[in-house]
Amino acid sequence: MKLLRYGDEGQEKWGVLDAEGGIRTLDDALQHVTGDVLTEGWLAQLQKLDPAKLPLLKAAHRIGPPIPRPLNFVCVGLNYADHAAETGGKIPKEPILFLKSLSAFCGPYDDIIIPPGSRKTDWEVELAVVMSAKASHISEADALDYIAGYTIVNDVSEREYQIERSGRWTKGKSADHFGPVGPWLVTKDEVPDPQNLRLFCEVDGKMMQDGTTANMIFGVQMLVAYVSQFITLYPGDIIATGTPAGVGMGRKPEPIYLRPGQNLRLGVEGMGEQRAKTVGG
Ligand code: ZN
């Protein structure tokens, strides 16, 4: 099942993708569904619906993030050896965690806003995990039971703020629209092996990142269990699992950063694609 949310920012409604790529609204159907959104039981009730029998959306709508604004937007740093190398970072002994500000959360086709005065806004395509249950101190073996599914995150980053402005990474990861999520939440039954997915990012048609989740240093199950040792995760929370090589700061001979008027296309195999234009803030 591919869940999504459509409508204006802050007023999104639930929909599901049908076999032809059309959007079926869950507006009426959800009145008969019990339990908190994105929990295992809630998802199980939606799985029983036949998308072909739900009302098809005729008009075009904005597609928002496929989940409501979460309680935790956790990111994992330097989780691909090739990316760690291009940034001059060491391969971490344990996962590097940081939190992205929840005000950065936005939809997969929303403009990427380059902050006023920014000179080093950069891209990072990532596979993201969405949680389906409260998880605290869980084991790696049990981690899959707590996952609703997967989606795409662009962990947009301002490298000067992140690295040159002192302190930790938060400053460079949290501007408005630095957290595009979606387009779909693909439930885990459709993703038998999250460690074997191609992921890519193009800028103005030029392939910048072209990697595979097979090259993660720490895999999805380990990361979910690991994060839960430090942060209690809730249904709908999101963990972005790191980016492969090819970000702007790692380009040779010179880094390349985003300017207003550019077009990004990024995807993870089986999860659709994000498309966004860059605008000046
Ligand atoms: Zn990242």
Side-chain angles (χ1 to χ4, degrees), residues 76 124 126 155 173:
V76 181
E124 293 191 354
E126 309 198 3
D155 177 20
K173 299 284 191 174

Side-chain angles (χ1 to χ4, degrees), residues 75-79 83 98 100 123-126 153-157 159 162 169 173 240-244 247:
C75 297
V76 181
L78 307 182
N79 196 30
H83 173 62
F98 62 95
K100 190 180 273 287
W123 55 85
E124 293 191 354
V125 62
E126 309 198 3
V153 161
N154 184 0
D155 177 20
V156 183
S157 304
R159 303 302 186 192
Q162 179 190 349
W169 292 357
K173 299 284 191 174
T241 60
T243 201
V247 300

Side-chain angles (χ1 to χ4, degrees), residues 16-167:
V16 62
L17 207 69
D18 68 20
E20 282 74 46
I23 297 173
R24 305 284 177 152
T25 177
L26 287 166
D27 229 14
D28 292 338
L30 278 171
Q31 290 174 18
H32 310 287
V33 172
T34 56
D36 291 335
V37 299
L38 295 169
T39 55
E40 200 81 6
W42 187 85
L43 289 164
Q45 292 168 77
L46 294 187
Q47 294 271 21
K48 288 191 191 124
L49 302 172
D50 178 1
K53 294 196 174 126
L54 297 167
L56 181 67
L57 281 192
K58 298 262 165 47
H61 290 267
R62 169 183 171 268
I63 303 298
I67 50 173
R69 194 184 302 271
L71 200 58
N72 291 297
F73 193 150
V74 184
C75 297
V76 181
L78 307 182
N79 196 30
Y80 288 75
D82 54 357
H83 173 62
E86 75 176 344
T87 65
K90 290 198 194 77
I91 293 191
K93 289 196 195 69
E94 289 187 48
I96 294 171
L97 303 183
F98 62 95
L99 297 174
K100 190 180 273 287
S101 167
L102 296 175
S103 52
F105 186 67
C106 70
Y109 312 119
D110 292 345
D111 290 343
I112 290 171
I113 303 169
I114 298 176
S118 157
R119 295 179 301 152
K120 298 187 177 177
T121 299
D122 201 350
W123 55 85
E124 293 191 354
V125 62
E126 309 198 3
L127 172 70
V129 179
V130 176
M131 303 298 295
S132 65
K134 183 176 174 182
S136 176
H137 297 277
I138 65 169
S139 71
E140 195 172 329
D142 290 339
L144 269 184
D145 296 340
Y146 294 80
I147 296 175
Y150 303 90
T151 187
I152 306 167
V153 161
N154 184 0
D155 177 20
V156 183
S157 304
E158 216 292 350
R159 303 302 186 192
E160 186 183 355
Y161 303 172
Q162 179 190 349
I163 298 163
E164 299 166 39
R165 297 285 294 275
S166 299

